[in-house]
Amino acid sequence: MGEEQQRPRRRRGQGQLEALVLSALREADGPVTAGWVQQRLGGDLAYTTVVTILTRLLAKGAVTRERAGRSFAWTPASDQAGLAARKMRRVLDAQSDREAVLASFVTGLGPDDERLLRELLRQAEDEGED
């Protein structure tokens, strides 16, 4: 009678947790500790889970860390656009036929994105000549 029925907690996927941690880091004014991230996320993740996620993000190059006493202070390695670009390069690097992947990507672009990509490539080419 007095027992409370608990709903099972839904497990979040690794990518979802990484996104939450990165989002918290981006909101910080500077480097922050894993404890700060844990509190920012509402404290429902264990401290060790937060450290594990941060360590995985470090291995992926998505965050950096610096010594802060006996702990580390963590910072996002780049902004959202930089992280998306890093993911795109990782996917491309994992494919054996880069030309086919790039060709498929380009043919799937809308006219505005295609125009923007051409302009960015032109700018990169011009900068390379300087």
Side-chain angles (χ1 to χ4, degrees):
M1 267 197 246
E3 291 182 24
E4 291 182 19
Q5 191 172 2
Q6 292 184 354
R7 282 188 275 162
R9 287 173 39 158
R10 258 184 64 226
R11 291 181 54 99
R12 289 177 264 207
Q14 178 181 329
Q16 190 177 17
L17 290 174
E18 289 177 357
L20 287 171
V21 168
L22 280 171
S23 177
L25 288 175
R26 279 192 217 97
E27 293 172 6
D29 291 331
V32 294
T33 65
W36 183 93
V37 173
Q38 180 192 26
Q39 288 178 332
R40 188 69 175 192
L41 297 177
D44 63 332
L45 290 177
Y47 176 82
T48 53
T49 301
V50 173
V51 171
T52 298
I53 294 165
L54 287 165
T55 303
R56 286 181 181 155
L57 290 169
L58 180 67
K60 294 178 179 182
V63 299
T64 61
R65 70 179 183 187
E66 58 188 51
R67 259 298 165 203
R70 296 172 62 193
S71 184
F72 290 103
W74 303 84
T75 310
S78 60
D79 61 9
Q80 196 117 13
L83 291 172
R86 187 182 319 251
K87 286 180 187 177
M88 291 167 66
R89 278 191 301 274
R90 232 183 11 250
V91 168
L92 183 61
D93 289 345
Q95 303 302 312
S96 58
D97 190 349
R98 295 175 73 91
E99 184 176 345
V101 173
L102 287 170
S104 180
F105 176 75
V106 170
T107 58
L109 293 175
D112 291 339
D113 287 337
E114 185 178 335
R115 199 170 14 265
L116 176 59
L117 183 57
R118 287 181 192 282
E119 180 60 31
L120 291 170
L121 289 169
R122 199 173 303 115
Q123 287 175 9
E125 188 176 274
D126 292 346
E127 289 173 8
E129 292 175 359
D130 291 341

Short mmCIF file of all heavy atoms in Angstrom, two decimals, residues 30-86:
data_model
loop_
_atom_site.label_atom_id
_atom_site.label_comp_id
_atom_site.label_asym_id
_atom_site.label_seq_id
_atom_site.Cartn_x
_atom_site.Cartn_y
_atom_site.Cartn_z
N GLY A 30 33.66 30.81 -19.39
CA GLY A 30 35.05 30.40 -19.57
C GLY A 30 35.18 28.93 -19.20
O GLY A 30 34.18 28.22 -19.12
N PRO A 31 36.41 28.47 -18.97
CA PRO A 31 36.61 27.06 -18.59
C PRO A 31 35.87 26.73 -17.29
O PRO A 31 35.84 27.55 -16.37
CB PRO A 31 38.12 26.96 -18.39
CG PRO A 31 38.69 28.10 -19.18
CD PRO A 31 37.67 29.19 -19.11
N VAL A 32 35.26 25.55 -17.26
CA VAL A 32 34.49 25.12 -16.09
C VAL A 32 34.83 23.68 -15.72
O VAL A 32 35.33 22.92 -16.54
CB VAL A 32 32.96 25.25 -16.33
CG1 VAL A 32 32.55 26.70 -16.48
CG2 VAL A 32 32.52 24.44 -17.53
N THR A 33 34.54 23.33 -14.49
CA THR A 33 34.81 21.98 -14.00
C THR A 33 33.67 21.03 -14.35
O THR A 33 32.56 21.47 -14.68
CB THR A 33 34.99 21.98 -12.47
OG1 THR A 33 33.74 22.36 -11.88
CG2 THR A 33 36.11 22.92 -12.03
N ALA A 34 33.94 19.75 -14.22
CA ALA A 34 32.90 18.74 -14.45
C ALA A 34 31.77 18.91 -13.44
O ALA A 34 30.60 18.71 -13.77
CB ALA A 34 33.50 17.34 -14.36
N GLY A 35 32.10 19.31 -12.23
CA GLY A 35 31.08 19.56 -11.21
C GLY A 35 30.14 20.68 -11.62
O GLY A 35 28.92 20.60 -11.41
N TRP A 36 30.69 21.72 -12.24
CA TRP A 36 29.86 22.83 -12.72
C TRP A 36 28.91 22.32 -13.80
O TRP A 36 27.73 22.66 -13.80
CB TRP A 36 30.74 23.95 -13.26
CG TRP A 36 29.98 25.17 -13.71
CD1 TRP A 36 29.71 26.28 -12.96
CD2 TRP A 36 29.40 25.40 -15.00
NE1 TRP A 36 28.99 27.17 -13.71
CE2 TRP A 36 28.78 26.66 -14.96
CE3 TRP A 36 29.33 24.66 -16.17
CZ2 TRP A 36 28.11 27.20 -16.06
CZ3 TRP A 36 28.66 25.19 -17.27
CH2 TRP A 36 28.06 26.45 -17.21
N VAL A 37 29.44 21.51 -14.73
CA VAL A 37 28.61 20.96 -15.81
C VAL A 37 27.50 20.10 -15.20
O VAL A 37 26.34 20.21 -15.59
CB VAL A 37 29.45 20.13 -16.80
CG1 VAL A 37 28.57 19.41 -17.81
CG2 VAL A 37 30.47 21.02 -17.51
N GLN A 38 27.85 19.26 -14.24
CA GLN A 38 26.86 18.40 -13.59
C GLN A 38 25.74 19.23 -12.98
O GLN A 38 24.56 18.93 -13.18
CB GLN A 38 27.53 17.54 -12.52
CG GLN A 38 26.57 16.62 -11.80
CD GLN A 38 27.17 16.00 -10.57
OE1 GLN A 38 28.09 16.55 -9.96
NE2 GLN A 38 26.65 14.84 -10.18
N GLN A 39 26.09 20.28 -12.26
CA GLN A 39 25.07 21.14 -11.65
C GLN A 39 24.23 21.84 -12.71
O GLN A 39 23.02 21.97 -12.58
CB GLN A 39 25.72 22.17 -10.74
CG GLN A 39 26.27 21.59 -9.46
CD GLN A 39 26.94 22.64 -8.61
OE1 GLN A 39 27.45 23.62 -9.11
NE2 GLN A 39 26.94 22.41 -7.30
N ARG A 40 24.88 22.31 -13.77
CA ARG A 40 24.19 23.02 -14.84
C ARG A 40 23.14 22.13 -15.50
O ARG A 40 22.11 22.61 -15.95
CB ARG A 40 25.22 23.50 -15.88
CG ARG A 40 24.68 24.38 -16.92
CD ARG A 40 24.30 25.69 -16.31
NE ARG A 40 23.88 26.61 -17.33
CZ ARG A 40 23.70 27.88 -17.14
NH1 ARG A 40 23.92 28.39 -15.95
NH2 ARG A 40 23.31 28.65 -18.10
N LEU A 41 23.41 20.83 -15.55
CA LEU A 41 22.49 19.87 -16.16
C LEU A 41 21.43 19.39 -15.18
O LEU A 41 20.68 18.48 -15.49
CB LEU A 41 23.26 18.69 -16.75
CG LEU A 41 24.22 19.03 -17.88
CD1 LEU A 41 24.98 17.80 -18.32
CD2 LEU A 41 23.47 19.65 -19.05
N GLY A 42 21.39 19.99 -14.02
CA GLY A 42 20.35 19.66 -13.05
C GLY A 42 20.74 18.60 -12.04
O GLY A 42 19.93 18.21 -11.21
N GLY A 43 21.95 18.10 -12.12
CA GLY A 43 22.42 17.14 -11.13
C GLY A 43 21.87 15.73 -11.28
O GLY A 43 22.10 14.89 -10.42
N ASP A 44 21.13 15.45 -12.36
CA ASP A 44 20.57 14.09 -12.49
C ASP A 44 21.56 13.11 -13.10
O ASP A 44 21.29 11.92 -13.15
CB ASP A 44 19.25 14.10 -13.26
CG ASP A 44 19.39 14.57 -14.70
OD1 ASP A 44 20.29 15.36 -14.97
OD2 ASP A 44 18.56 14.14 -15.54
N LEU A 45 22.71 13.61 -13.56
CA LEU A 45 23.77 12.71 -14.04
C LEU A 45 24.83 12.57 -12.95
O LEU A 45 25.17 13.56 -12.28
CB LEU A 45 24.45 13.29 -15.29
CG LEU A 45 23.64 13.31 -16.57
CD1 LEU A 45 24.46 13.98 -17.68
CD2 LEU A 45 23.25 11.92 -16.99
N ALA A 46 25.37 11.39 -12.81
CA ALA A 46 26.44 11.19 -11.84
C ALA A 46 27.69 11.95 -12.28
O ALA A 46 27.93 12.12 -13.49
CB ALA A 46 26.75 9.69 -11.73
N TYR A 47 28.46 12.40 -11.32
CA TYR A 47 29.69 13.13 -11.62
C TYR A 47 30.59 12.30 -12.53
O TYR A 47 31.15 12.82 -13.50
CB TYR A 47 30.42 13.47 -10.31
CG TYR A 47 31.74 14.15 -10.51
CD1 TYR A 47 31.80 15.52 -10.74
CD2 TYR A 47 32.93 13.42 -10.48
CE1 TYR A 47 33.02 16.15 -10.94
CE2 TYR A 47 34.15 14.04 -10.67
CZ TYR A 47 34.19 15.40 -10.90
OH TYR A 47 35.39 16.01 -11.10
N THR A 48 30.71 11.01 -12.25
CA THR A 48 31.57 10.15 -13.07
C THR A 48 31.07 10.04 -14.50
O THR A 48 31.86 9.93 -15.43
CB THR A 48 31.68 8.74 -12.46
OG1 THR A 48 30.37 8.22 -12.25
CG2 THR A 48 32.44 8.77 -11.14
N THR A 49 29.75 10.08 -14.68
CA THR A 49 29.18 10.06 -16.03
C THR A 49 29.58 11.32 -16.79
O THR A 49 29.96 11.26 -17.96
CB THR A 49 27.64 9.93 -15.98
OG1 THR A 49 27.32 8.72 -15.28
CG2 THR A 49 27.03 9.91 -17.36
N VAL A 50 29.50 12.47 -16.12
CA VAL A 50 29.88 13.74 -16.75
C VAL A 50 31.35 13.70 -17.14
O VAL A 50 31.72 14.09 -18.26
CB VAL A 50 29.58 14.93 -15.81
CG1 VAL A 50 30.12 16.24 -16.40
CG2 VAL A 50 28.08 15.05 -15.56
N VAL A 51 32.21 13.21 -16.26
CA VAL A 51 33.64 13.12 -16.57
C VAL A 51 33.87 12.18 -17.75
O VAL A 51 34.68 12.47 -18.64
CB VAL A 51 34.44 12.67 -15.33
CG1 VAL A 51 35.89 12.36 -15.70
CG2 VAL A 51 34.39 13.74 -14.25
N THR A 52 33.16 11.06 -17.79
CA THR A 52 33.29 10.13 -18.91
C THR A 52 32.90 10.79 -20.23
O THR A 52 33.60 10.66 -21.24
CB THR A 52 32.43 8.87 -18.67
OG1 THR A 52 32.90 8.21 -17.49
CG2 THR A 52 32.49 7.92 -19.85
N ILE A 53 31.80 11.52 -20.22
CA ILE A 53 31.35 12.21 -21.43
C ILE A 53 32.38 13.26 -21.86
O ILE A 53 32.72 13.36 -23.05
CB ILE A 53 29.97 12.85 -21.21
CG1 ILE A 53 28.92 11.76 -21.00
CG2 ILE A 53 29.59 13.76 -22.38
CD1 ILE A 53 27.62 12.26 -20.42
N LEU A 54 32.88 14.03 -20.91
CA LEU A 54 33.90 15.04 -21.22
C LEU A 54 35.16 14.39 -21.79
O LEU A 54 35.75 14.91 -22.74
CB LEU A 54 34.23 15.87 -19.97
CG LEU A 54 33.16 16.86 -19.54
CD1 LEU A 54 33.42 17.35 -18.13
CD2 LEU A 54 33.08 18.02 -20.53
N THR A 55 35.55 13.27 -21.25
CA THR A 55 36.74 12.56 -21.74
C THR A 55 36.53 12.05 -23.16
O THR A 55 37.43 12.13 -24.00
CB THR A 55 37.10 11.41 -20.78
OG1 THR A 55 37.29 11.94 -19.47
CG2 THR A 55 38.36 10.69 -21.23
N ARG A 56 35.33 11.55 -23.44
CA ARG A 56 35.02 11.12 -24.81
C ARG A 56 35.05 12.31 -25.77
O ARG A 56 35.54 12.20 -26.90
CB ARG A 56 33.65 10.45 -24.87
CG ARG A 56 33.63 9.08 -24.27
CD ARG A 56 32.26 8.46 -24.37
NE ARG A 56 32.25 7.15 -23.76
CZ ARG A 56 31.17 6.58 -23.27
NH1 ARG A 56 30.00 7.19 -23.35
NH2 ARG A 56 31.24 5.39 -22.72
N LEU A 57 34.49 13.43 -25.34
CA LEU A 57 34.51 14.63 -26.17
C LEU A 57 35.93 15.13 -26.40
O LEU A 57 36.26 15.62 -27.47
CB LEU A 57 33.65 15.73 -25.54
CG LEU A 57 32.14 15.47 -25.56
CD1 LEU A 57 31.41 16.47 -24.67
CD2 LEU A 57 31.61 15.53 -26.99
N LEU A 58 36.79 14.97 -25.41
CA LEU A 58 38.20 15.34 -25.55
C LEU A 58 38.87 14.48 -26.60
O LEU A 58 39.59 14.97 -27.47
CB LEU A 58 38.92 15.20 -24.20
CG LEU A 58 40.41 15.54 -24.19
CD1 LEU A 58 40.62 17.03 -24.45
CD2 LEU A 58 41.03 15.14 -22.86
N ALA A 59 38.60 13.18 -26.56
CA ALA A 59 39.18 12.25 -27.55
C ALA A 59 38.70 12.58 -28.96
O ALA A 59 39.44 12.36 -29.93
CB ALA A 59 38.81 10.81 -27.19
N LYS A 60 37.50 13.11 -29.09
CA LYS A 60 36.95 13.49 -30.40
C LYS A 60 37.41 14.88 -30.84
O LYS A 60 37.09 15.31 -31.94
CB LYS A 60 35.42 13.46 -30.36
CG LYS A 60 34.85 12.08 -30.16
CD LYS A 60 33.34 12.15 -30.08
CE LYS A 60 32.74 10.76 -29.91
NZ LYS A 60 31.27 10.82 -29.87
N GLY A 61 38.12 15.58 -29.96
CA GLY A 61 38.57 16.93 -30.30
C GLY A 61 37.51 17.99 -30.15
O GLY A 61 37.68 19.12 -30.60
N ALA A 62 36.40 17.67 -29.49
CA ALA A 62 35.30 18.62 -29.34
C ALA A 62 35.47 19.56 -28.15
O ALA A 62 34.85 20.61 -28.10
CB ALA A 62 33.98 17.87 -29.21
N VAL A 63 36.31 19.16 -27.19
CA VAL A 63 36.59 20.01 -26.02
C VAL A 63 38.09 20.01 -25.75
O VAL A 63 38.82 19.15 -26.23
CB VAL A 63 35.83 19.53 -24.75
CG1 VAL A 63 34.33 19.55 -24.94
CG2 VAL A 63 36.29 18.15 -24.31
N THR A 64 38.50 21.00 -24.97
CA THR A 64 39.87 21.04 -24.47
C THR A 64 39.79 21.09 -22.95
O THR A 64 38.73 21.40 -22.39
CB THR A 64 40.64 22.27 -24.99
OG1 THR A 64 39.98 23.45 -24.55
CG2 THR A 64 40.74 22.25 -26.51
N ARG A 65 40.91 20.79 -22.31
CA ARG A 65 40.93 20.88 -20.85
C ARG A 65 42.26 21.45 -20.41
O ARG A 65 43.28 21.34 -21.10
CB ARG A 65 40.66 19.53 -20.21
CG ARG A 65 41.78 18.53 -20.39
CD ARG A 65 41.47 17.23 -19.73
NE ARG A 65 42.60 16.31 -19.86
CZ ARG A 65 42.60 15.06 -19.52
NH1 ARG A 65 41.51 14.53 -19.00
NH2 ARG A 65 43.67 14.30 -19.68
N GLU A 66 42.23 22.05 -19.23
CA GLU A 66 43.45 22.57 -18.62
C GLU A 66 43.39 22.25 -17.13
O GLU A 66 42.31 22.11 -16.56
CB GLU A 66 43.57 24.07 -18.86
CG GLU A 66 42.41 24.87 -18.33
CD GLU A 66 42.44 26.33 -18.74
OE1 GLU A 66 42.59 26.60 -19.94
OE2 GLU A 66 42.27 27.18 -17.86
N ARG A 67 44.56 22.09 -16.55
CA ARG A 67 44.63 21.78 -15.12
C ARG A 67 44.03 22.92 -14.32
O ARG A 67 44.27 24.08 -14.59
CB ARG A 67 46.08 21.66 -14.68
CG ARG A 67 46.66 20.32 -14.50
CD ARG A 67 46.03 19.48 -13.46
NE ARG A 67 46.48 18.13 -13.69
CZ ARG A 67 45.84 17.08 -13.27
NH1 ARG A 67 44.74 17.19 -12.60
NH2 ARG A 67 46.30 15.89 -13.51
N ALA A 68 43.23 22.56 -13.33
CA ALA A 68 42.65 23.53 -12.40
C ALA A 68 42.74 22.92 -11.01
O ALA A 68 41.83 22.23 -10.57
CB ALA A 68 41.21 23.85 -12.78
N GLY A 69 43.89 23.10 -10.37
CA GLY A 69 44.12 22.45 -9.08
C GLY A 69 44.30 20.97 -9.28
O GLY A 69 45.11 20.52 -10.09
N ARG A 70 43.49 20.19 -8.58
CA ARG A 70 43.57 18.73 -8.69
C ARG A 70 42.61 18.19 -9.75
O ARG A 70 42.49 16.99 -9.94
CB ARG A 70 43.27 18.10 -7.34
CG ARG A 70 44.32 18.47 -6.30
CD ARG A 70 43.95 18.02 -4.92
NE ARG A 70 43.83 16.58 -4.85
CZ ARG A 70 43.28 15.94 -3.83
NH1 ARG A 70 42.80 16.61 -2.82
NH2 ARG A 70 43.22 14.62 -3.83
N SER A 71 41.92 19.08 -10.41
CA SER A 71 40.91 18.70 -11.39
C SER A 71 41.26 19.31 -12.74
O SER A 71 42.37 19.75 -12.96
CB SER A 71 39.55 19.21 -10.90
OG SER A 71 38.52 18.80 -11.77
N PHE A 72 40.29 19.33 -13.63
CA PHE A 72 40.44 19.96 -14.94
C PHE A 72 39.32 20.97 -15.14
O PHE A 72 38.22 20.80 -14.62
CB PHE A 72 40.38 18.92 -16.07
CG PHE A 72 41.56 18.02 -16.14
CD1 PHE A 72 41.48 16.73 -15.66
CD2 PHE A 72 42.76 18.47 -16.67
CE1 PHE A 72 42.58 15.87 -15.73
CE2 PHE A 72 43.86 17.63 -16.74
CZ PHE A 72 43.77 16.33 -16.27
N ALA A 73 39.62 21.97 -15.94
CA ALA A 73 38.61 22.91 -16.41
C ALA A 73 38.43 22.65 -17.89
O ALA A 73 39.40 22.50 -18.63
CB ALA A 73 39.05 24.35 -16.15
N TRP A 74 37.20 22.59 -18.33
CA TRP A 74 36.85 22.17 -19.68
C TRP A 74 36.28 23.34 -20.48
O TRP A 74 35.58 24.19 -19.95
CB TRP A 74 35.82 21.06 -19.61
CG TRP A 74 36.28 19.87 -18.82
CD1 TRP A 74 36.21 19.71 -17.47
CD2 TRP A 74 36.88 18.69 -19.32
NE1 TRP A 74 36.74 18.49 -17.11
CE2 TRP A 74 37.15 17.85 -18.23
CE3 TRP A 74 37.22 18.25 -20.60
CZ2 TRP A 74 37.74 16.60 -18.36
CZ3 TRP A 74 37.80 17.00 -20.73
CH2 TRP A 74 38.06 16.18 -19.62
N THR A 75 36.57 23.34 -21.79
CA THR A 75 36.11 24.38 -22.71
C THR A 75 35.76 23.73 -24.04
O THR A 75 36.46 22.82 -24.48
CB THR A 75 37.24 25.41 -22.96
OG1 THR A 75 37.77 25.83 -21.71
CG2 THR A 75 36.74 26.61 -23.73
N PRO A 76 34.70 24.21 -24.71
CA PRO A 76 34.44 23.68 -26.06
C PRO A 76 35.59 24.06 -26.99
O PRO A 76 36.13 25.17 -26.89
CB PRO A 76 33.14 24.35 -26.49
CG PRO A 76 32.78 25.33 -25.44
CD PRO A 76 33.72 25.19 -24.31
N ALA A 77 35.98 23.16 -27.88
CA ALA A 77 37.11 23.42 -28.78
C ALA A 77 36.75 24.42 -29.86
O ALA A 77 37.61 25.11 -30.38
CB ALA A 77 37.59 22.11 -29.40
N SER A 78 35.49 24.49 -30.22
CA SER A 78 35.06 25.45 -31.24
C SER A 78 33.57 25.71 -31.08
O SER A 78 32.90 25.09 -30.26
CB SER A 78 35.36 24.92 -32.64
OG SER A 78 34.70 23.70 -32.87
N ASP A 79 33.08 26.62 -31.89
CA ASP A 79 31.66 26.93 -31.84
C ASP A 79 30.85 25.82 -32.51
O ASP A 79 31.40 24.84 -33.01
CB ASP A 79 31.39 28.29 -32.48
CG ASP A 79 31.79 28.34 -33.95
OD1 ASP A 79 32.12 27.29 -34.54
OD2 ASP A 79 31.78 29.43 -34.52
N GLN A 80 29.55 26.01 -32.56
CA GLN A 80 28.66 25.00 -33.13
C GLN A 80 29.00 24.68 -34.59
O GLN A 80 29.00 23.52 -34.99
CB GLN A 80 27.21 25.51 -33.04
CG GLN A 80 26.19 24.43 -33.24
CD GLN A 80 25.35 24.24 -32.00
OE1 GLN A 80 25.38 25.05 -31.10
NE2 GLN A 80 24.62 23.17 -31.94
N ALA A 81 29.31 25.71 -35.37
CA ALA A 81 29.65 25.48 -36.78
C ALA A 81 30.92 24.67 -36.91
O ALA A 81 31.02 23.77 -37.75
CB ALA A 81 29.79 26.82 -37.51
N GLY A 82 31.90 24.96 -36.08
CA GLY A 82 33.16 24.21 -36.11
C GLY A 82 32.96 22.76 -35.73
O GLY A 82 33.57 21.86 -36.33
N LEU A 83 32.10 22.50 -34.75
CA LEU A 83 31.82 21.12 -34.35
C LEU A 83 31.10 20.37 -35.46
O LEU A 83 31.40 19.21 -35.72
CB LEU A 83 31.00 21.10 -33.06
CG LEU A 83 31.73 21.55 -31.80
CD1 LEU A 83 30.76 21.65 -30.64
CD2 LEU A 83 32.87 20.61 -31.46
N ALA A 84 30.16 21.03 -36.12
CA ALA A 84 29.45 20.38 -37.23
C ALA A 84 30.42 20.06 -38.36
O ALA A 84 30.37 18.97 -38.94
CB ALA A 84 28.32 21.27 -37.73
N ALA A 85 31.32 20.99 -38.66
CA ALA A 85 32.31 20.76 -39.71
C ALA A 85 33.23 19.59 -39.35
O ALA A 85 33.56 18.77 -40.20
CB ALA A 85 33.14 22.02 -39.95
N ARG A 86 33.60 19.50 -38.08
CA ARG A 86 34.45 18.39 -37.62
C ARG A 86 33.74 17.06 -37.81
O ARG A 86 34.33 16.08 -38.26
CB ARG A 86 34.84 18.61 -36.16
CG ARG A 86 35.84 17.63 -35.62
CD ARG A 86 36.11 17.90 -34.16
NE ARG A 86 36.20 19.33 -33.91
CZ ARG A 86 37.33 19.97 -33.62
NH1 ARG A 86 38.44 19.31 -33.49
NH2 ARG A 86 37.34 21.27 -33.41
#
